[in-house]
Amino acid sequence: MDSRRTDCEAINLDIVEKVRPNMPEMNILYDLSDFFKVMGDGTRIQLLWALEESEMCVGDLAVLLNMTKSAVSHQLKVLRTAKLVKPTKKGKNVYYALDDFHVKTILEKALEHVCE
């Protein structure tokens, strides 16, 4: 249990005690927060959406999003570190795709929520 203390008493202690065991560990919640920070950038969302449609190389992504290759590469590195995209070398080029179906599902569900 967390050693921090609150300055109030529970109004519905039965609900608090029911929810407490289902709370993820703090380190997992911090990782989840970091995940949403990465996803919370407009440029990275554009990159993810483009890659949701098709595997693409840095140059094609740069043209699509009207960005420099350097800027695209920087953002792809952030997305790779967060395990949201994966690179595949094909000849002299590196192509990027969403890391797995979870990323696609998260994007689709988030869009569905925003469009409600």
Side-chain angles (χ1 to χ4, degrees):
M1 184 177 199
D2 195 342
S3 62
R4 293 177 288 175
R5 298 286 175 212
T6 181
D7 63 352
C8 62
E9 293 184 28
I11 294 172
N12 299 291
L13 187 58
D14 55 329
I15 294 172
V16 171
E17 293 305 322
K18 178 182 170 191
V19 170
R20 187 185 314 273
N22 297 321
M23 292 291 293
E25 294 179 20
M26 285 305 296
N27 62 324
I28 292 173
L29 291 174
Y30 285 128
D31 288 346
L32 184 60
S33 174
D34 289 342
F35 169 83
F36 280 109
K37 287 176 189 172
V38 170
M39 294 285 282
D41 178 88
T43 299
R44 290 191 287 265
I45 286 293
Q46 289 179 69
L47 288 166
L48 289 170
W49 202 265
L51 296 174
E52 193 266 343
E53 292 290 323
S54 177
E55 181 180 72
M56 297 178 78
C57 66
V58 172
D60 290 345
L61 286 164
V63 170
L64 176 68
L65 301 179
N66 195 28
M67 297 173 60
T68 65
K69 290 196 308 187
S70 175
V72 169
S73 292
H74 172 75
Q75 296 300 336
L76 286 170
K77 181 178 179 185
V78 173
L79 294 170
R80 274 194 328 268
T81 301
K83 298 180 183 158
L84 295 173
V85 300
K86 61 184 175 187
T88 304
K89 187 146 173 101
K90 293 182 180 179
K92 294 181 179 182
N93 292 317
V94 177
Y95 286 81
Y96 290 86
L98 298 182
D99 190 74
D100 61 28
F101 75 94
H102 295 110
V103 180
K104 180 177 175 136
T105 302
I106 291 165
L107 286 171
E108 289 172 350
K109 290 296 180 186
L111 181 65
E112 183 180 314
H113 176 74
V114 169
C115 291
E116 282 185 348

